[in-house]
Amino acid sequence: FAGSAAAPASRPVGWLFVVFLCAGPGLVPVAFVPLRAFCGLVSVALLMRATDLLGEKTPRPLSVRLAHSLSVADLRLAARVEPTFNAKLLADGLARAAIGSLALWFACTTPPALEPATVAVRLFLGVIGFYLAFEGIDRTAQALYLLGGMRIEATQNSPILSKTLAEFWGQRWNRIVHRWLAETAFAPFARRCPKFGLLLAFVLSAGIHLMIVMPALGGWGAVAMGGFFVMHGLLVMAERFLRVGRWPVAWARIWTLLWIILTTPLFLEPFLGLSGYPWMLDAVRAGA
């Protein structure tokens, strides 16, 4: 799959390989839910790398394309440095990833229920766990790339400090995916119809997350996950109309945090369902 993402140098042939990448999770037996989800994640990553390469006017050497396809970070933006062992950064990343994974494990082992206490516990553990795990992976990746003599861009930029949803998605959360969405969906419409380009970017974000969730959980999980991103696209447009960016900082942060908390179950429940726990799969597939 990585080779197929890197091999095409011409666009007509390249897009055939992209279609092949999208079909990857379907090759895994249905019973292996976590593995199907993981293969969906890998397919999305390779799809993004392939479209990066196909968007360039001058094809890079095959070795460079293959390295880019296998990289977690965007190597086009990486800087060559002296190999460095940053023990503090590595330890911080591993600690965050471990604590976040533990919180996610407890969230996964808590059966879904409508009792307020259970909902609150699952939401708290899931949000904290996902946030810390993602931050930990980001820091660990930076430390490992430094060992190899490359400085990569930080994926996260303190998302908790966001004052608006536009700032959260556009500047602070998963900037690798944001850049890809901006180049792929927003940029072509930025001059003529920026609002359409903005909404299209969120729809495309919903689509790549469907590639992860749909093969593993089926329709209901995919609808919830996709709905989360489409809803946030509409909310970003609404906050621009309401000029939330000009509100007092405290009120703007309340707006941002409130909508993230209210909509997070649409993302979190399918995500936790990817763990493969029977009661969670039953609840997600039934649309609970």
Side-chain angles (χ1 to χ4, degrees), residues 25-72:
L27 302 176
V28 180
V30 177
F32 298 97
V33 171
L35 182 57
R36 272 201 159 206
F38 176 75
C39 289
L41 177 62
V42 172
S43 292
V44 166
L46 293 175
L47 171 66
M48 292 171 60
R49 294 290 171 251
T51 53
D52 285 343
L53 297 171
L54 289 171
E56 296 182 330
K57 294 182 179 180
T58 304
R60 299 171 185 260
L62 177 60
S63 59
V64 176
R65 299 202 303 272
L66 183 59
H68 181 72
S69 297
L70 291 170
S71 174
V72 176

Side-chain angles (χ1 to χ4, degrees), residues 29-185:
V30 177
F32 298 97
V33 171
L35 182 57
R36 272 201 159 206
F38 176 75
C39 289
L41 177 62
V42 172
S43 292
V44 166
L46 293 175
L47 171 66
M48 292 171 60
R49 294 290 171 251
T51 53
D52 285 343
L53 297 171
L54 289 171
E56 296 182 330
K57 294 182 179 180
T58 304
R60 299 171 185 260
L62 177 60
S63 59
V64 176
R65 299 202 303 272
L66 183 59
H68 181 72
S69 297
L70 291 170
S71 174
V72 176
D74 190 340
L75 292 185
R76 298 173 302 171
L77 304 175
R80 287 282 184 181
V81 296
E82 288 293 325
T84 306
F85 177 56
N86 191 327
K88 182 178 180 181
L89 181 62
L90 181 60
D92 182 34
L94 292 175
R96 289 172 184 252
I99 296 172
S101 298
L102 186 62
L104 285 173
W105 182 80
F106 278 115
C108 288
T109 55
T110 304
L114 296 179
E115 289 81 2
T118 304
V119 172
V121 168
R122 281 171 55 79
L123 182 61
F124 175 78
L125 290 174
V127 169
I128 296 299
F130 189 82
Y131 187 92
L132 288 177
F134 207 93
E135 292 256 309
I137 292 171
D138 181 32
R139 284 169 166 76
T140 301
Q142 291 180 61
L144 294 178
Y145 273 91
L146 281 175
L147 274 175
M150 302 194 76
R151 177 177 286 112
I152 61 173
E153 178 189 29
T155 303
Q156 302 289 89
N157 182 24
S158 303
I160 199 169
L161 300 180
S162 302
K163 295 184 289 293
T164 64
L165 292 171
E167 180 183 349
F168 178 85
W169 292 113
Q171 301 176 32
R172 296 187 177 275
W173 183 264
N174 201 342
R175 293 192 292 178
I176 293 177
V177 173
H178 163 70
R179 181 178 293 104
W180 182 78
L181 291 171
E183 294 176 355
T184 306

Side-chain angles (χ1 to χ4, degrees), residues 185-200 237 240:
F186 179 74
F189 300 94
R191 292 184 178 181
R192 296 182 179 180
C193 188
K195 291 182 179 180
F196 178 77
L198 175 65
L199 186 58
L200 183 61
M237 295 177 67
R240 289 189 174 185

